[in-house]
Amino acid sequence: MQKGAQQSATVANPVPGANPDLLPHFLVEPEDVYIVKNKPVLLVCKAMPATQIFFKCNGEWVRQVDHVIERSTDDSSGLPAMEVRINVSRQQVEKVFGLEEYWCQCVAWSSSGTTKSQKAYIRIAYLRKNFEQEPLAKEVSLEQGIVLPCRPPEGIPPAEVEWLRNEDLVDPSLDPNVYITREHSLVVRQARLADTANYTCVAKNIVARRRSASAAVIVYVNGGWSTWTEWSVCSASCGRGWQKRSRSCTNPAPLNGGAFCEGQNVQKTACATLCPVDGSWSPWSKWSACGLDCTHWRSRECSDPAPRNGGEECRGADLDTRNCTSDLCVHTASGPEDVALYVGLIAVAVCLLLLLLVLILVYCRKKEGLDSDVADSSILTSGFQPVSIKPSKADNPHLLTIQPDLSTTTTTCQGSLCPRQDGPSPKFQLANGHLLSPLGGGRHTLHHSSPTSEAEDFVSRLSTQNYFRSLPRGTSNMTYGTFNFLGGRLMIPNTGISLLIPPDAIPRGKIYEIYLTLHKPEDVRLPLAGCQTLLSPIVSCGPPGVLLTRPVILAMDHCGEPCPESWSLRLKKQSCEGSWEDVLHLGEEAPSHLYYCQLEAGACYVFTEQLGRFALVGEALSVAATKRLKLLLFAPMACTSLEYNIRVYCLHDTHDALKEVVQLEKQLGGQLIQEPRVLHFKDSYHNLRLSIHDVPSSLWKSKLLVSYQEIPFYHIWNGTQQYLHCTFTLERISPSTSDLACKVWVWQVEGDGQSFNINFNITKDTRFAELLALESEGGVPALVGPSAFKIPFLIRQKIITSLDPPCSRGADWRTLAQKLHLDSHLSFFASKPSPTAMILNLWEARHFPNGNLSQLAAAVAGLGQPDAGLFTVSEAEC
């Protein structure tokens, strides 16, 4: 939606007869804004002339105390001007979720009338994690077009999209071969080898930045043949043979998985070569007549046959000369030309001989010099003898020849000296003991039997003090009693909330009127920052400021899965000024601290010496942090029309939340139609989805227009909204239809889910009604004195007297704590005047009223005290 698309124009309402020029006109009007996470937004409005300016949001006037007003006077006209600012929080916008958009408008007054500004729409900004469509890997050929689609996650404001190529931003203004469509698809007009890369679609808005999975794009090249080479020579030098030519797949060569060239890379063909014929001599001719030089000759030709086709020429001389007169013919001396020839040949031979002698002498000289050099070079090497490393002596432990001690390869870790290395270090540690053990089998139930008039009188007395003006005015979520040094117990029926006041917690001679109250989250403003979420009910015990000499124990449910690696848990307390403070960080308690907490799977027990208003708040350290949600399905007990509604509630898995919904459904005339289920809700910013399936179309028709309904993540995670539910409306085809069979699915996106198989008769099936029957928690909400404790007072004193003093044989309060699986709190117990009393008080808080006293007596008797028989008591003796 474009900014200002739904804004209305400024509207003026002049007073009849007034000067229209003095109507207020706006210098600054409120503009559309987005809420990012939990940060409030500021709206500003300025008008002149104006005597008053107020904001109106969704048709309701904003309280005057929420306006910040600044008045001024225009220097040029002297007219009064006003500037007004207000803050709008996320909670205000979420209250109208699903009904309409949240808008605010300025209304300015002057003596001439009023003027309304344009409407400013305030929207909660978000960006989901999952892309609606991610780019996929592709392989394309060179110069082919590439289209990578991307549909970003849903978000407000809509996400902007950019593309990364190998983590570098793709800028279409720098590369005309690339452009991005309006649908955010990346288009490459002609693929190049440089376009081979990993492409990532990035979506971002003012809230977050999301990356899609990378898509690998490979631009491949198909191979092409080069030109043929020349034919080779024939394989046979004589007769029939073969010749060949070749080509290579290099024009271009295949790349990035491209196809190889099709066809043959070598061609062959037959060839014929003429055989060579060697030449041969013809017969000799006849001798010639004897000449003057007393010789005659004969000749022959290389023509029988003559050489052809590369054959060899004839070998030998083609002319033969002989002396034709034998001894009778005397050979005369040679002429002067022959003498000169012979003299020249002799001179050349002599020169060659002299040159050979010179070369021999030079070679011998050089060889003698080289031998002398080698002999002299031994002087240089006489000081460099080979170095031999001697083995180290056994009596020198510092040399490098010591062999490693293989026996030290085993590491022994004890206690906390060996931290785990398989994950990040948690913020706080919880021992693997009773802190993670499930609740005991006992269920705490009671009936509130205080007279209404007396309760209302007590509430009216509390309301006279400023601190108690936010207490509930009804009595169903409140109990009170008058207590002295004997102690007692307060319980709010069916909520799991109780306050144990141990003996001697109230000073002797003092009498206190103490109350215990359960608050609705919408009645108490509990600020939550960042990823914090409310895990427990908000409980008050008071009056604040009373003097206590021993810690009291406040018990209340919680819905967090106590995993130290996933949660940072804090106990918050409200001060008398109304601000909330962190008084305890679970896992980092100091033994001498005013507050201490025993955390179990579904409940926490808070030791405190100061009464006040408390709540358990968790901050997720990872997406593995989960809250337990209780899923309940309700439907009308009587169906008088064709329509039939199925209501699916998503509550904190605590007794107080269950009690509120059961009471609400009783007023609505609803009944439970399926056994409740537990869903683990993750801190992953994903919404909760609900859908209905397999409705028989011949009997029923679903009026749901979409495939599923959603409850926003923040509505569930902040923990301050009650009665979160979705309604599925079905319509019977016939009034006589009474059997209903369908499925209801509830799941968190990318998280846990539950499926309900509904199959019952809507007119007479009530088999699940008794599952939510509220049980009694101890009879009365206020128990005073010894009747409030399972352990008889005298037996309790004997146990404390016997186990508080240290015992060398270990038979003291430390062993008792180990037997009761409370040894992780030894430092806290030791910091108190009576450690045994602290252990017994915690046992009373955890096991009332259904605790097994015989098991406690057996644990005490098993300590080996000389008078252990005094502690073995039966239920009848108590």
Side-chain angles (χ1 to χ4, degrees), residues 210-246:
R210 311 287 189 214
R211 292 168 56 100
S212 71
S214 295
V217 174
I218 298 177
V219 180
Y220 61 86
V221 178
N222 293 326
W225 291 113
S226 63
T227 57
W228 290 103
T229 61
E230 297 293 333
W231 289 103
S232 65
V233 297
C234 192
S235 61
S237 59
C238 175
R240 185 176 180 81
W242 298 93
Q243 61 182 159
K244 64 179 182 178
R245 62 177 182 176
S246 62

Side-chain angles (χ1 to χ4, degrees), residues 790-809:
K790 292 283 292 183
I791 307 173
F793 184 76
L794 294 179
I795 300 299
R796 169 188 170 93
Q797 293 303 112
K798 289 182 180 181
I799 297 175
I800 294 173
T801 304
S802 178
L803 299 184
D804 269 349
C807 180
S808 59
R809 292 177 291 113

Side-chain angles (χ1 to χ4, degrees), residues 543-737:
V546 298
L547 176 64
L548 297 174
T549 58
R550 299 283 189 275
V552 297
I553 300 179
L554 175 64
M556 55 186 177
D557 290 351
H558 70 84
C559 63
E561 285 295 314
C563 179
E565 294 80 11
S566 303
W567 284 106
S568 173
L569 302 177
R570 301 175 186 271
L571 182 69
K572 286 184 175 286
K573 181 176 181 290
Q574 190 175 27
S575 65
C576 294
E577 293 78 18
S579 61
W580 287 86
E581 303 170 349
D582 293 338
V583 296
L584 181 64
H585 187 181
L586 273 67
E588 299 180 4
E589 303 96 336
S592 59
H593 205 277
L594 292 175
Y595 307 92
Y596 200 85
C597 183
Q598 153 79 357
L599 186 71
E600 297 187 354
C604 60
Y605 301 88
V606 179
F607 292 79
T608 176
E609 296 181 25
Q610 294 183 356
L611 303 183
R613 184 172 297 167
F614 297 93
L616 183 65
V617 172
E619 181 175 3
L621 302 179
S622 68
V623 293
T626 59
K627 295 174 63 173
R628 296 189 314 277
L629 300 184
K630 181 81 76 175
L631 305 179
L632 303 172
L633 271 63
F634 283 90
M637 297 184 65
C639 184
T640 57
S641 64
L642 294 178
E643 287 190 352
Y644 191 75
N645 294 325
I646 298 177
R647 293 181 290 276
V648 184
Y649 287 87
C650 305
L651 319 170
H652 282 178
D653 187 19
T654 57
H655 287 87
D656 63 288
L658 180 63
K659 173 184 175 181
E660 293 290 336
V661 170
V662 172
Q663 291 178 347
L664 174 65
E665 281 295 327
K666 282 186 176 180
Q667 298 174 3
L668 298 176
Q671 65 169 339
L672 188 70
I673 62 173
Q674 270 290 315
E675 185 175 353
R677 304 278 183 85
V678 173
L679 182 141
H680 291 84
F681 192 78
K682 288 185 177 181
D683 179 22
S684 59
Y685 295 96
H686 289 299
N687 296 340
L688 190 70
R689 291 183 178 178
L690 304 94
S691 60
I692 189 167
H693 305 273
D694 300 340
V695 178
S697 58
S698 60
L699 301 176
W700 296 86
K701 180 176 67 175
S702 174
K703 303 188 75 172
L704 186 65
L705 300 179
V706 293
S707 58
Y708 58 84
Q709 301 186 62
E710 274 194 336
I711 299 179
F713 169 83
Y714 286 103
H715 287 195
I716 298 175
W717 192 254
N718 61 21
T720 59
Q721 299 198 27
Q722 288 188 312
Y723 313 132
L724 287 175
H725 72 281
C726 287
T727 301
F728 295 100
T729 302
L730 304 178
E731 184 177 1
R732 292 185 286 180
I733 303 299
S734 170
S736 61
T737 301

Side-chain angles (χ1 to χ4, degrees), residues 280-285 299-305 314:
S280 182
W281 292 112
S282 63
W284 288 101
S285 64
S299 65
R300 58 182 179 178
E301 294 180 353
C302 188
S303 58
D304 191 17
C314 299

Side-chain angles (χ1 to χ4, degrees), residues 112-270:
S112 298
T114 62
T115 305
K116 296 181 181 179
S117 72
Q118 64 184 6
K119 290 182 179 179
Y121 289 86
I122 299 95
R123 304 175 178 91
I124 297 175
Y126 67 91
L127 183 61
R128 304 201 185 281
K129 287 189 175 182
N130 294 332
F131 281 71
E132 295 184 6
Q133 184 179 10
E134 294 186 295
L136 300 177
K138 287 191 174 183
E139 294 184 359
V140 296
S141 63
L142 192 67
E143 298 184 354
Q144 181 182 344
I146 304 174
V147 178
L148 295 176
C150 176
R151 292 171 60 192
E154 178 187 351
I156 294 180
E160 298 179 356
V161 173
E162 61 186 19
W163 284 86
L164 301 179
R165 178 197 287 135
N166 288 342
E167 302 302 321
D168 294 330
L169 183 65
V170 176
D171 189 354
S173 63
L174 302 178
D175 188 356
N177 193 43
V178 177
Y179 69 93
I180 300 175
T181 66
R182 292 183 178 180
E183 293 78 20
H184 310 298
S185 297
L186 178 67
V187 178
V188 180
R189 292 183 173 89
Q190 288 186 329
R192 303 156 297 188
L193 290 178
D195 294 323
T196 298
N198 291 322
Y199 290 83
T200 307
C201 182
V202 179
K204 61 181 180 180
N205 64 5
I206 59 177
V207 177
R209 186 173 186 264
R210 311 287 189 214
R211 292 168 56 100
S212 71
S214 295
V217 174
I218 298 177
V219 180
Y220 61 86
V221 178
N222 293 326
W225 291 113
S226 63
T227 57
W228 290 103
T229 61
E230 297 293 333
W231 289 103
S232 65
V233 297
C234 192
S235 61
S237 59
C238 175
R240 185 176 180 81
W242 298 93
Q243 61 182 159
K244 64 179 182 178
R245 62 177 182 176
S246 62
R247 58 180 179 178
S248 59
C249 190
T250 56
N251 189 31
L255 191 64
N256 295 335
F260 198 79
C261 303
E262 295 183 359
Q264 297 178 348
N265 63 336
V266 176
Q267 283 184 346
K268 291 184 178 181
T269 184

Side-chain angles (χ1 to χ4, degrees), residues 9-38:
T10 302
V11 178
N13 296 315
V15 175
N19 185 1
D21 295 336
L22 295 180
L23 279 173
H25 64 277
F26 288 96
L27 304 178
V28 179
E29 295 187 74
E31 297 182 350
D32 293 352
V33 289
Y34 295 97
I35 294 179
V36 178
K37 296 184 178 178
N38 291 321

